Amino acid sequence: MAKLKTTFFCQSCGNQFAKWQGQCTVCKAWNTIVEEVLQKPEKSDWKTPTSTKKRAAVPLRINDIDSTKEARLDTFDGELNRVLGGGIVPGSLTLLGGEPGIGKSTLMLQISLKLPYKTLYVSGEESQKQIKMRAERINPSNSNCYILTETKTQNIFKQIENLEPDIVIIDSIQTLHSDYIEASAGSISQIKECTTELIKFAKETSTPVLLIGHITKDGHIAGPKILEHMVDTVLQFEGDRNHVFRILRAHKNRFGSTNELGIYEMQGSGLREVSNPSELLISQKDEELSGNAIAATLEGMRPLMIEVQALVSTAVYGTPQRSATGFNAKRLNMLLAVLEKRAGFKLGAKDVFLNITGGITVDDPAIDLAVVAAILSSNEDMALQKDFCFAAEVGLSGEIRPVQRVEQRILEAEKLGFSTIFVSKYNKISLKNTTIKIQLISKIEDLVGFVV
Ligand code: TYD
Ligand code: MG
């Protein structure tokens, strides 16, 4: 038997080395280099099913290239269409990453059941029966949806050749393996090889391919970074598993903006599109409670009204506790210091807890003012008026800073029936005929007068 050919890969950046070393010389990561068995195929048996359709490329003058927009495939899912920038581009590779159990397989199966085209769902993780059971929960049935449980790319291509699907879904890229490489499934060289084969297939036949990808402990897509470079679009499915909301974001999109965001709700019968998230994120209650404030934030291009809850109480132990869920803890400490210094609140001996409801994480700085208002309200134990909302950043000297797209936030607040929105005096607002009161403030002290 011929000697096995092995090579060394950095698990972090995917670079290849001839021998083992402790540190990757390219990305400088330590202990990431692993040995993998590699067997290059004989040139003669290198064949993908589509190789006959290949044409040699010739350079074209840019002005001569046909620029008529390629028709995108409607996914029949408003949220996914929005995130992708209007639908799936033919021949594109889309990678969907996310924590285990977040609903990646559910989303993809749901899409393939909804589409009126011939879809092929390839699963390396579940049996056909299991997928059928899941499909029965989701329900909308597409009689042209085919399920294949297979992990070998060569076999998958053989089936694709027979079936000629309009769209291929792979669950997941980490379970695939190609005959041309001997390393085990999920290893860097396998992921690289299988993705290359899939890209070749997608580009040559203009069939879009959707891949599901596992993520590592620290939240990156498992496998080499190069995987994210190779595909056209990287989507991330996130959200707190214990909450009902799931957020779909684009981290990379060659055909659209990465600012868009899709929101779903996990129900007993699959994922439901949430087209008006603000109404769901704000808890409907009759009483006014202290410590609650509503922020008019923007998630990507979408205005989103979010409820901020704060609890300020006397510290039982020596060192006061500060904890924040869905908000940066360092930023909370900064805001507390500003409140202490500029508004004279003695928060040094108090525990402060902050929570963004709905299990979502916000990094829009415009939430600052609502955080401050919630803390002030809880500290004084006085409820804010239920129909107040806030959209401004707070600076270190206690100044209220302008935020981007303030008009969009104001209109959303108005639409949802808020009576007053607090924004920075330095925001340029040219809205006319609004029924909502726009309260301009410039310093944190100005806010104190309104809320306590
Ligand atoms: P799944 O799609 O298997 O997650 P992933 O592929 O990302 O690992 O989602 C699994 C979770 O979704 C599971 O905990 C059950 C839940 N779920 C529902 O609540 N309703 C449903 O209709 C389905 C299909 C799943
Ligand atoms: Mg899954």
Side-chain angles (χ1 to χ4, degrees):
M1 204 181 99
K3 191 171 172 291
L4 277 187
K5 202 173 161 209
T6 64
T7 186
F8 296 83
F9 286 97
C10 167
Q11 282 182 301
S12 155
C13 66
N15 263 289
Q16 195 174 340
F17 300 92
K19 60 180 185 0
W20 189 86
Q21 56 202 55
Q23 188 189 20
C24 170
T25 44
V26 180
C27 71
K28 308 287 179 232
W30 285 94
N31 291 332
T32 54
I33 298 190
V34 291
E35 184 174 16
E36 286 182 9
V37 182
L38 189 77
Q39 201 117 62
K40 270 276 167 228
E42 295 292 312
K43 267 282 173 280
S44 59
D45 65 9
W46 179 270
K47 176 173 156 286
T48 57
T50 53
S51 53
T52 47
K53 296 185 188 160
K54 197 169 177 187
R55 270 183 303 126
V58 283
L60 269 182
R61 209 197 301 258
I62 190 154
N63 291 343
D64 298 340
I65 298 173
D66 185 11
S67 68
T68 43
K69 266 204 169 159
E70 274 215 65
R72 291 185 183 231
L73 255 80
D74 189 351
T75 61
F76 290 82
D77 181 314
E79 303 294 299
L80 182 65
N81 276 349
R82 184 207 312 270
V83 176
L84 289 173
I88 305 181
V89 174
S92 68
L93 235 80
T94 305
L95 177 66
L96 173 70
E99 298 268 340
I102 200 83
K104 303 179 294 297
S105 307
T106 307
L107 179 65
M108 285 297 136
L109 185 62
Q110 194 166 328
I111 302 287
S112 40
L113 289 172
K114 252 193 229 170
L115 287 175
Y117 325 113
K118 198 190 267 185
T119 57
L120 177 65
Y121 184 97
V122 183
S123 179
E125 306 203 330
E126 287 159 291
S127 70
Q128 278 160 322
K129 270 221 184 75
Q130 281 173 316
I131 298 170
K132 171 80 183 170
M133 271 159 58
R134 190 194 290 259
E136 275 167 356
R137 282 176 81 173
I138 300 171
N139 206 10
S141 64
N142 164 10
S143 51
N144 260 334
C145 171
Y146 291 81
I147 309 288
L148 172 69
T149 44
E150 177 60 70
T151 53
K152 199 159 109 176
T153 53
Q154 280 74 24
N155 292 350
I156 294 173
F157 287 127
K158 216 176 283 164
Q159 296 304 331
I160 288 178
E161 210 173 6
N162 294 338
L163 193 65
E164 297 194 329
D166 298 312
I167 180 163
V168 177
I169 292 171
I170 309 273
D171 185 1
S172 61
I173 182 72
Q174 279 82 8
T175 57
L176 291 193
H177 68 98
S178 166
D179 263 355
Y180 299 125
I181 300 246
E182 280 209 3
S184 58
S187 63
I188 289 164
S189 43
Q190 277 294 7
I191 292 178
K192 231 160 131 180
E193 172 61 29
C194 297
T195 313
T196 313
E197 288 177 19
L198 286 167
I199 288 182
K200 193 158 171 249
F201 158 73
K203 305 284 169 209
E204 284 176 6
T205 60
S206 284
T207 312
V209 177
L210 298 170
L211 299 172
I212 291 179
H214 294 167
I215 61 170
T216 57
K217 256 193 299 198
D218 45 1
H220 300 296
I221 290 177
K225 192 81 192 158
I226 198 165
L227 177 60
E228 284 161 68
H229 288 295
M230 285 160 92
V231 299
D232 299 301
T233 306
V234 180
L235 304 179
Q236 186 89 20
F237 208 28
E238 52 195 54
D240 191 333
R241 219 171 351 139
N242 303 320
H243 286 85
V244 281
F245 296 111
R246 303 286 191 271
I247 293 178
L248 186 69
R249 287 174 205 277
H251 276 218
K252 161 184 174 178
N253 192 350
R254 284 193 183 144
F255 316 110
S257 129
T258 51
N259 284 329
E260 292 296 352
L261 179 97
I263 302 182
Y264 294 89
E265 186 183 356
M266 183 58 99
Q267 294 186 329
S269 55
L271 291 156
R272 187 182 71 86
E273 295 169 40
V274 177
S275 42
N276 191 358
S278 300
E279 278 177 9
L280 281 162
L281 288 169
I282 299 172
S283 48
Q284 306 293 330
K285 50 186 180 299
D286 302 329
E287 283 174 76
E288 292 170 349
L289 301 171
S290 72
N292 286 6
I294 311 285
T297 66
L298 273 188
E299 269 295 343
M301 297 302 204
R302 257 173 121 176
L304 202 62
M305 307 299 284
I306 289 177
E307 189 168 340
V308 180
Q309 296 186 314
L311 177 67
V312 180
S313 65
T314 314
V316 187
Y317 304 109
T319 322
Q321 289 191 61
R322 272 42 208 298
S323 104
T325 315
F327 187 73
N328 187 331
K330 282 196 184 129
R331 189 139 190 107
L332 171 64
N333 281 332
M334 184 210 101
L335 292 175
L336 290 174
V338 172
L339 269 176
E340 179 123 24
K341 178 107 181 170
R342 306 286 162 195
F345 280 89
K346 296 280 166 270
L347 292 162
K350 304 250 173 116
D351 288 341
V352 180
F353 303 97
L354 192 78
N355 179 33
I356 310 288
T357 58
I360 48 178
T361 302
V362 183
D363 37 65
D364 181 359
I367 199 172
D368 284 0
L369 196 59
V371 171
V372 167
I375 293 170
L376 288 176
S377 155
S378 176
N379 189 49
E380 297 293 317
D381 201 15
M382 277 171 56
L384 298 174
Q385 229 171 288
K386 230 177 29 180
D387 49 5
F388 277 6
C389 66
F390 305 85
E393 185 181 341
V394 175
L396 280 180
S397 51
E399 80 276 21
I400 308 297
R401 302 170 59 103
V403 289
Q404 51 153 338
R405 292 177 198 274
V406 74
E407 296 184 349
Q408 214 181 329
R409 301 173 200 256
I410 294 173
L411 291 175
E412 174 79 1
E414 185 180 51
K415 204 169 78 192
L416 290 168
F418 286 90
S419 69
T420 310
I421 182 165
F422 289 79
V423 296
S424 164
K425 202 171 98 182
Y426 308 107
N427 258 126
K428 291 203 171 38
I429 301 167
S430 51
L431 286 175
K432 290 194 182 69
N433 303 328
T434 48
T435 53
I436 188 168
K437 183 172 174 217
I438 302 168
Q439 187 68 53
L440 302 172
I441 54 176
S442 60
K443 301 189 296 292
I444 214 161
E445 294 92 310
D446 298 348
L447 179 71
V448 178
F450 283 102
V451 300
V452 292

